[in-house]
Amino acid sequence: MEFGKHDSAIGFARLIDGNANLYPLLRSFTWMPARFPLWRSLRLHAPKTAVAAPGFQVVATTILNPAVLEVDINSALATEKLDGTCCYVTHYKGKPHLWARLDRKANKLAEKRFKKYQYSHRSSKGFTWNVEEDFKTVPDTWIPAHEVKHHNGHPVPDEHGHIPGWVPVEDSNKQYCWHSSVVDYGVGTALLLRPVANNDYDTLEIAAVPLTDLQEQTLELIGTNINGNPYVSHGSIRIRNPPSVDFQQLYSWFRSGTGGLVEGIVWHCSAGSLFKVHRHHLGLEWPAEGTHLGNKPTVVRVSGTTVAAGDNSKSLFASFSRFNGHHFSRLRDIHFDL
């Protein structure tokens, strides 16, 4: 399911500063619909240290997903897989505004009935929801995502029993403090991390971008406080010379050099289908030190004119503006105290 009207999108990132706190900012990416696993998978009882669903770990087999055989995946665009929490820019109170992802979920009784149906039918198809009674309440400002289907004026839950949607991010809401730190509603800008404009995908830039330029785009909020992931970007970080889609070659690539120090790979096929593999699927650890993204050269382009008058001197905008025009050999070399 797509959550925005356009394919282009942005995301938030957090700069790697050794073992210290990581600073949030935005990053451009191409919004992707549902991604499918590259291989068939197994659910095993996980060790206590595994980062997975409670009690289980998903691992890949050497058998390719049958859908992979229908596409020329080795000719597909391979990009770095970086996950966080989805966001969106659209109008709120007459101005472009950042919205946070908020799925409307079933209450306990309805969820129990739904899971029982799934278990007995091996599918969620045919399950009947009463949206008015079966779901938890959401703020009055909540809106459903664009691609959510409706029936009799009510949004229809997806196959997981969720109704994807959005709520506006306001400075007073501490729940969305990480979202708020990368937007300045006073001047209407957002901090964006992206490849530089000349298509040099090995160099990044940090820039303050008008929210009007991001209107109707989906976003990704990433960081150590968001799903334990210190990066961002769906589709903007290309992988040069990716390995062939072979279990052993991929395993070796993930373990060799800084190029393989990524969370995973997403293949963008010409027909629009997407396939993914995560380091965890191959039994490899994540997070890791010395990551590929953290070692990319970065330039800061955040001028003082993009910082609202009276802005807190310790805000991200004010902090980055002090480095305006500076070139850093690595993203992880940018340091400041908040």
Side-chain angles (χ1 to χ4, degrees), residues 73-262:
I73 194 167
N74 284 316
S75 298
L77 173 65
T79 66
E80 187 173 340
K81 177 189 180 295
L82 298 166
D83 279 346
T85 182
C86 197
C87 310
Y88 177 47
V89 172
T90 193
H91 273 86
Y92 177 61
K93 295 182 179 179
K95 295 182 179 180
H97 206 89
L98 182 67
W99 295 61
R101 168 84 177 267
L102 179 64
D103 286 6
R104 193 174 179 189
K105 299 180 180 181
N107 57 43
K108 290 185 178 179
L109 289 176
E111 183 180 17
K112 184 177 180 180
R113 183 164 52 90
F114 179 61
K115 289 184 176 180
K116 183 178 180 180
Y117 182 94
Q118 279 185 309
Y119 181 81
S120 60
H121 292 80
R122 304 293 180 183
S123 172
S124 62
K125 292 183 178 179
F127 184 82
T128 302
W129 292 100
N130 184 329
V131 176
E132 292 181 308
E133 297 181 2
D134 290 342
F135 285 81
K136 299 176 183 178
T137 58
V138 289
D140 293 338
T141 52
W142 180 89
I143 59 173
H146 286 298
E147 298 302 320
V148 170
K149 297 179 180 179
H150 287 71
H151 180 70
N152 292 332
H154 296 290
V156 177
D158 60 19
E159 67 273 19
H160 304 296
H162 297 172
I163 306 175
W166 313 103
V167 290
V169 173
E170 302 190 70
D171 294 333
S172 59
N173 192 331
K174 293 183 179 180
Q175 180 181 354
Y176 301 115
C177 60
W178 297 116
H179 298 68
S180 297
S181 66
V182 291
V183 290
D184 187 332
Y185 294 128
V187 292
T189 57
L191 286 174
L192 180 69
L193 175 64
R194 61 189 177 189
V196 294
N198 63 359
N199 293 322
D200 176 6
Y201 288 94
D202 287 330
T203 304
L204 304 174
E205 71 173 1
I206 298 168
V209 177
L211 284 169
T212 52
D213 292 355
L214 308 174
Q215 183 73 7
E216 300 305 320
Q217 295 186 20
T218 47
L219 326 169
E220 192 79 3
L221 176 63
I222 302 294
T224 50
N225 292 290
I226 309 293
N227 297 342
N229 190 326
Y231 311 115
V232 67
S233 176
H234 285 165
S236 68
I237 303 299
R238 298 184 182 184
I239 294 176
R240 297 185 183 273
N241 303 315
S244 297
V245 180
D246 172 82
F247 189 99
Q248 192 57 48
Q249 288 195 46
L250 281 164
Y251 182 82
S252 298
W253 181 83
F254 274 118
R255 296 190 66 189
S256 62
T258 58
L261 280 174
V262 299

Side-chain angles (χ1 to χ4, degrees), residues 56-78:
F56 291 94
Q57 181 180 17
V58 178
V59 296
T61 68
T62 57
I63 303 172
L64 282 171
N65 183 330
V68 174
L69 305 177
E70 300 175 4
V71 299
D72 185 12
I73 194 167
N74 284 316
S75 298
L77 173 65

